[in-house]
Amino acid sequence: MDAMPKWADVVLVPVVSLLLAAIISAIVFVAVGQNPWDALKLMAYGAVGTSDFLGYTLFYATNFIFTGLAVAVAFHASLFNIGGEGQVLLGGLGAAIVCLYVPLPHWSLALIAGATAAAIFGALWVVIPAYLQARRGSHIVITTIMFNFMASGLLIFFLSGPMKPIGEMQVATAVFPAATHLPSLHDVAQMFGSEMFGRSPVNISIFLALIACVGVWALIWHTRLGYEIRSFGKSESAAKYAGISAVNITMVALLISGGLAGLMAVNNTMGINSPQLVDNAAGGAGFIGIAVALMGRNHPVGIVIAALLFGALYQGGAELSAATSIPVQIVVVIQALVIMFTGALDEMVRAPIEKLFLRSQRAGE
Amino acid sequence: MSDIAPAIELVGISKAFGPVQANKDISIRVMPGTIHGIIGENGAGKSTLMSILYGFYKADAGEVFISGQKTEIPDSQAAIAAGIGMVFQHFKLVKNFSVLENVVLGAEDGALLRPSLAKARKQLKSLATEYELNVDPDAIIEDIGVGMQQRVEILKALYRQADILILDEPTGVLTPAEADQLFRILGRLKEEGKTIILITHKLREIMDITDTVSVMRRGEMMATVKTSDTNPADLAERMVGRKVLLRVDKVPAQPKDVVLDVRDLNITDDKGVHRLKGVSFQVRAGEILGIAGVSGNGQSELLEVLGGYEKATGEILLNGDPIDLTGAYSDGQSRRARGIAHVPEDRQHEGLIMDFTAWENTAFGYHHDPKYQRNGLLMDNAAILKDAQEKMGRFDVRPPNPLLAAKNFSGGNQQKIVVAREIERDPDLLLVGQPTRGVDIGAIEFIHQQIVALRDQGKAILLVSVELEEIMGLSDRIAVMFDGQIMGERLPDQTNEKELGLLMAGMKDGEAA
């Protein structure tokens, strides 16, 4: 009857999932003629071995916090927003427009204006899928994934046409004015006389991400709106009885979700060393956000931890393929294994563990 | 001891789900050609026991003997092979198949359907004459009534050569007349030598048709007695473990002004079916109007309209002022603001969010209440928690732990959480749907007292229930619904179950009198 203890749900299940992913990864390494233990050490070094590497890990983690939160908010309303990729790209477009065409004297103003624009653009990109879901019952998974393709096409149109600087070859906007470039954590460290984080792009958006975590936590568990979102997500029929409008909640939850995904673009445009919007600004973070939210059990604290893990995996994997003859594709396979085990196969690990716990509980009676 | 082997003998059956011991060392013998009742409150372990017999669960310990032979029943196939047939509370029929196709489904002779159907048709005919089980073999399931559908379930079991028939709460969906018909059929089956196990929580049914009865309580078999040696009060006491008041104790009503005035309410659903057809009635302050009827005759829709989550045409006045039926204020929040509280029919899908804690459920529907807010932005979770704690204390919810998820409470305690939330809003009008469905006898008594107490405070109460006994015991006036219409109104002390049953079956007011 009773569920397994909370620590098993929150800690044990993800750890077992990771172990399984590690075991299969080890087999993959052996198959390509590499020593898995050496590879693991190299990956760990690549993720946190130097303060530069750590900076990259944190930079990626920042991305994943935003997209993880985006997925989680929608998930609390039982809606599966897999359009993070597209919403990030549109968020990037919003940030780029503000940074390039609005004269902003200082990075603090640029942060406010850029973040607002990114969130609004990200949210706007989900308006049509949200409306179709709320009013017409078109499934949000189908529509948001289609909107990913449209966002990608739209962005390429802007970056190879209207927003492309004359004479540039790259599919990207011009570099943003220096005043809109967000301080990196290296800059912050320097104020205290440290050279921490070196050339890594990790920047003050990480604080924005943490503020967003607190915001989402407060929204979901401490506001009426969050209460209504969770009610609707847990039981649509009960929400109807309570007078909670399905249409409103669907719209609002998805708009917030889209806005959070859009916010990620601040990190990936205004925060990078050469601040600009490039065509693959999302870089798969929208999808990794799904795994992050699942692994983090849709709770901001869990999401931060999962985002750090995925950030480390991303960065460590990149170092691994740079430092060895292991092809980059193998690194992608490893990342995919982790996503698969912690995300898609979560239930496969959870069910047997739950059974084991129940059996031992009964034996203890 | 007789020398005939019992049709079924269970010896020392135990079954646990996690920490819950659903069946504890249960032994029971049912002799062939008898009707054996199993009675007990919800969660007493009746259904678990029958599921073990039918091969859905594997017992942790114990043995099953069929006609004296020790039998292993690992799955339902084995149960059918052993001659056991089961009629579930919720029918397992394919709605858009014909009766014949449903009977054959899963028992086809080969890859080709035609020979099986032809054989089944012949068999059905002989079963029909043998047991007076007349059903048109070519009728489509969704076109026939529930009583007929139940017969199809019985035919399915007989077609599979069942000698032992288990019926799980078979009368829950039937009118009294249909129930009588069912009992006639069961009697006929008994005469032909079949063995019948009847699972129910209705004392009257046990008294009417069973030969022997077993009482279960909290997973244990309390007693097996001859029905002729017992009486309802005795059975109820054995079920609950203490003396129970079977009748609701209340003084005559003192009706005052009209609180709810429903005029010519109509609903047509998406498929163009008329769900409510010109329903009109009034409820006064200080009285309970009971709406009787077999489930699915428009009562649910009526509650949904009044509760603000179903649209309708017509007019509803509350304390003389009209209620918005289709516009911007036709939602549950607006209804609550007008002083309408609602204990919905389905607490698991409407009244509660099962994954929410008890304290979160305490605010459900009233989460806009200023006393639950800390400032303009945040909810005051501490205030809700405190309120939940107090409510759970006053309504004797067990365990009194507001941090527990709703799904971890028993049905009766879940219902108390809902009733506490709605009654304590001090509403002008309380809507109550199936207040005691799936609720144990002890809690039924308590919930009924609360409803009567609210009435005595001068509130108007609209009660919808499919349990005729509940309607008769609780209501000050009774209206009967059939097919979306009100067939007539009666006073409880000037009518009887038979008359109400005729109205429930669609007999016009004049004809039934």
Side-chain angles (χ1 to χ4, degrees):
Chain A
M1 273 310 274
D2 236 13
M4 58 181 170
K6 191 137 191 170
W7 67 267
D9 183 54
V10 183
V11 180
L12 191 61
V13 170
V15 167
V16 171
S17 300
L18 283 176
L19 275 178
L20 285 174
I23 289 168
I24 298 193
S25 302
I27 295 170
V28 172
F29 279 123
V30 171
V32 296
Q34 297 285 340
N35 181 333
W37 181 242
D38 289 345
L40 179 69
K41 278 195 289 192
L42 250 176
M43 263 183 105
Y45 179 74
V48 294
T50 72
S51 81
D52 255 58
F53 290 160
L54 178 64
Y56 272 98
T57 293
L58 292 178
F59 172 75
Y60 293 126
T62 307
N63 285 343
F64 302 151
I65 290 174
F66 281 120
T67 51
L69 289 176
V71 173
V73 167
F75 217 85
H76 277 292
S78 215
L79 295 163
F80 201 7
N81 175 14
I82 61 171
E85 288 287 294
Q87 291 140 25
V88 171
L89 293 181
L90 264 287
L93 194 61
I97 290 171
V98 166
C99 290
L100 288 170
Y101 305 123
V102 180
L104 293 159
H106 190 260
W107 65 262
S108 56
L109 285 178
L111 176 61
I112 295 168
T116 310
I120 291 175
F121 270 62
L124 283 179
W125 196 243
V126 85
V127 163
I128 293 173
Y131 177 84
L132 290 175
Q133 168 79 52
R135 288 272 180 199
R136 293 277 168 268
S138 316
H139 207 286
I140 193 77
V141 168
I142 310 285
T143 47
T144 50
I145 205 157
M146 296 210 175
F147 267 65
N148 284 343
F149 289 101
M150 286 160 60
S152 171
L154 193 70
L155 203 71
I156 287 172
F157 165 74
F158 277 108
L159 299 188
S160 59
M163 293 178 81
K164 188 167 89 93
I166 295 164
E168 276 293 334
M169 294 292 286
Q170 207 192 351
V171 185
T173 64
V175 174
F176 299 168
T180 65
H181 187 194
L182 298 179
S184 67
L185 286 196
H186 178 66
D187 298 336
V188 177
Q190 273 185 329
M191 292 199 307
F192 300 98
S194 158
E195 289 301 323
M196 196 65 182
F197 302 120
R199 292 268 310 139
S200 70
V202 62
N203 61 82
I204 57 164
S205 323
I206 195 168
F207 298 117
L208 187 63
L210 294 176
I211 292 170
C213 284
V214 176
V216 166
W217 171 78
L219 167 78
I220 295 295
W221 285 283
H222 291 274
T223 67
R224 273 200 307 274
L225 177 60
Y227 184 88
E228 295 194 339
I229 287 176
R230 285 186 296 129
S231 303
F232 175 73
K234 291 283 186 200
S235 173
E236 224 179 305
S237 51
K240 199 171 148 193
Y241 152 81
I244 295 168
S245 156
V247 171
N248 290 354
I249 294 300
T250 302
M251 290 299 290
V252 171
L254 283 172
L255 288 181
I256 294 173
S257 173
L260 284 164
L263 270 182
M264 184 202 115
V266 172
N267 188 42
N268 238 4
T269 58
M270 299 164 68
I272 52 181
N273 293 339
S274 152
Q276 64 183 145
L277 174 63
V278 298
D279 62 343
N280 68 338
F287 293 121
I288 291 177
I290 298 168
V292 167
L294 269 165
M295 196 175 171
R297 319 289 315 150
N298 298 310
H299 192 286
V301 173
I303 286 170
V304 169
I305 295 168
L308 286 170
L309 175 83
F310 276 92
L313 202 64
Y314 215 70
Q315 167 56 19
E319 282 310 310
L320 181 66
S321 64
T324 66
S325 60
I326 296 173
V328 68
Q329 286 80 1
I330 294 298
V331 175
V332 176
V333 168
I334 307 303
Q335 289 165 352
L337 280 169
V338 173
I339 293 181
M340 195 168 83
F341 274 97
T342 58
L345 299 182
D346 183 73
E347 214 38 52
M348 185 186 85
V349 176
R350 182 176 308 277
I353 291 183
E354 200 155 24
K355 213 176 230 171
L356 249 153
F357 262 97
L358 293 183
R359 197 168 299 164
S360 70
Q361 268 173 16
R362 197 185 314 153
E365 293 280 314
Chain B
M1 251 2 281
S2 66
D3 52 352
I4 328 165
I8 290 183
E9 182 168 16
L10 304 178
V11 181
I13 298 280
S14 289
K15 173 76 187 170
F17 297 100
V20 178
Q21 192 77 34
N23 283 163
K24 268 180 262 183
D25 190 23
I26 288 185
S27 298
I28 187 176
R29 311 158 58 99
V30 180
M31 299 312 286
T34 62
I35 300 183
H36 185 93
I38 296 185
I39 194 163
E41 298 192 277
N42 279 285
K46 297 168 294 188
S47 295
T48 304
L49 189 64
M50 290 305 116
S51 297
I52 288 170
L53 189 52
Y54 202 61
F56 280 167
Y57 295 140
K58 199 179 153 9
D60 299 335
E63 290 173 334
V64 178
F65 294 87
I66 311 260
S67 305
Q69 297 285 315
K70 185 171 181 318
T71 312
E72 295 289 338
I73 306 178
D75 51 35
S76 53
Q77 290 291 339
I80 292 167
I84 300 172
M86 182 115 171
V87 176
F88 293 93
Q89 194 171 0
H90 302 285
F91 304 147
K92 314 253 187 255
L93 297 170
V94 183
K95 295 226 167 198
N96 53 355
F97 274 19
S98 72
V99 169
L100 199 58
E101 286 166 327
N102 267 290
V103 168
V104 170
L105 186 67
E108 306 91 345
D109 293 326
L112 291 177
L113 203 53
R114 198 177 281 268
S116 307
L117 287 178
K119 189 181 115 197
R121 188 181 294 275
K122 229 193 272 167
Q123 284 238 329
L124 279 194
K125 205 171 256 172
S126 72
L127 287 172
T129 45
E130 202 174 344
Y131 301 111
E132 295 164 32
L133 270 166
N134 280 313
V135 184
D136 171 11
D138 296 313
I140 303 297
I141 294 297
E142 58 194 352
D143 298 337
I144 62 179
V146 268
M148 279 293 174
Q149 291 183 13
Q150 194 171 51
R151 282 190 199 181
V152 177
E153 285 284 11
I154 295 173
L155 281 170
K156 259 169 72 180
L158 295 176
Y159 182 71
R160 285 160 179 73
Q161 261 126 40
D163 286 317
I164 301 156
L165 210 55
I166 306 169
L167 296 104
D168 190 2
E169 301 282 358
T171 58
V173 288
L174 303 181
T175 60
E178 283 173 325
D180 286 342
Q181 258 168 11
L182 171 70
F183 292 157
R184 266 205 302 281
I185 292 169
L186 294 184
R188 181 94 192 120
L189 287 167
K190 179 176 117 175
E191 280 169 34
E192 297 293 325
K194 305 277 182 194
T195 309
I196 292 160
I197 298 181
L198 178 70
I199 304 171
T200 182
H201 67 275
K202 293 183 186 166
L203 296 164
R204 192 179 65 105
E205 288 172 8
I206 292 288
M207 298 311 298
D208 281 358
I209 67 157
T210 64
D211 300 306
T212 46
V213 52
S214 297
V215 184
M216 288 184 74
R217 182 166 92 221
R218 283 195 219 120
E220 287 180 81
M221 188 59 79
M222 302 312 293
T224 297
V225 292
K226 270 199 167 140
T227 310
S228 49
D229 295 345
T230 184
N231 59 61
D234 174 51
L235 286 177
E237 193 178 331
R238 288 178 197 262
M239 269 164 76
V240 187
R242 63 180 169 83
K243 284 224 181 295
V244 246
L245 216 55
L246 286 177
R247 280 201 54 83
V248 186
D249 221 1
K250 63 182 175 95
V251 295
Q254 311 275 329
K256 303 237 162 48
D257 302 337
V258 174
V259 172
L260 179 69
D261 191 353
V262 174
R263 295 177 187 170
D264 194 25
L265 213 55
N266 284 282
I267 298 183
T268 307
D269 71 9
D270 302 337
K271 291 181 192 133
V273 180
H274 246 62
R275 293 285 172 191
L276 288 185
K277 301 172 184 169
V279 169
S280 303
F281 61 88
Q282 292 183 334
V283 190
R284 290 174 178 277
E287 74 164 351
I288 300 174
L289 174 67
I291 302 224
V294 179
S295 97
N297 278 293
Q299 308 98 307
S300 303
E301 287 81 358
L302 178 65
L303 281 181
E304 285 166 12
V305 170
L306 290 166
Y309 52 108
E310 174 77 74
K311 309 267 183 238
T313 58
E315 201 178 5
I316 300 178
L317 305 179
L318 186 73
N319 294 321
D321 295 322
I323 275 181
D324 185 359
L325 286 182
T326 48
Y329 296 100
S330 62
D331 65 309
Q333 291 295 317
S334 312
R335 292 288 197 278
R336 286 176 180 82
R338 288 285 301 271
I340 300 180
H342 183 185
V343 176
E345 289 184 301
D346 187 343
R347 66 174 164 276
Q348 302 200 349
H349 295 106
E350 296 185 342
L352 293 168
I353 294 195
M354 301 305 275
D355 285 334
F356 273 14
T357 57
W359 72 265
E360 284 174 305
N361 273 303
T362 297
F364 193 55
Y366 300 98
H367 49 283
H368 286 275
D369 187 330
K371 77 173 180 195
Y372 293 151
Q373 319 299 322
R374 198 153 56 183
N375 45 42
L377 207 58
L378 298 180
M379 290 183 86
D380 192 347
N381 289 346
I384 303 174
L385 184 63
K386 187 161 162 284
D387 193 29
Q389 227 149 15
E390 290 166 5
K391 282 190 166 66
M392 290 172 84
R394 280 193 293 272
F395 278 73
D396 190 29
V397 177
R398 282 181 235 173
N401 177 4
L403 301 177
L404 216 55
K407 63 181 171 199
N408 293 331
F409 289 91
S410 72
N413 285 300
Q414 288 172 0
Q415 189 71 331
K416 282 185 190 173
I417 295 174
V418 178
V419 171
R421 181 183 73 207
E422 300 300 325
I423 283 190
E424 296 217 337
R425 301 310 299 190
D426 193 27
D428 289 346
L429 170 68
L430 179 70
L431 311 171
V432 198
Q434 321 296 350
T436 53
R437 179 185 280 171
V439 168
D440 42 87
I441 289 198
I444 289 179
E445 206 181 345
F446 182 82
I447 289 169
H448 282 172
Q449 284 163 0
Q450 295 301 318
I451 293 173
V452 171
L454 191 72
R455 178 203 75 167
D456 292 342
Q457 287 168 34
K459 310 295 184 181
I461 291 162
L462 181 70
L463 167 75
V464 168
S465 177
V466 293
E467 301 281 348
L468 213 43
E469 254 180 82
E470 178 163 57
I471 290 280
M472 300 271 284
L474 214 50
S475 313
D476 301 312
R477 258 184 322 128
I478 299 170
V480 182
M481 270 187 93
F482 171 76
D483 194 28
Q485 299 168 64
I486 300 233
M487 303 307 289
E489 278 191 23
R490 293 286 183 279
L491 295 173
D493 49 3
Q494 291 169 20
T495 185
N496 54 48
E497 294 207 1
K498 185 157 174 269
E499 188 191 25
L500 292 177
L502 288 173
L503 289 170
M504 282 162 72
M507 212 72 89
K508 285 267 152 30
D509 208 348
E511 301 168 45

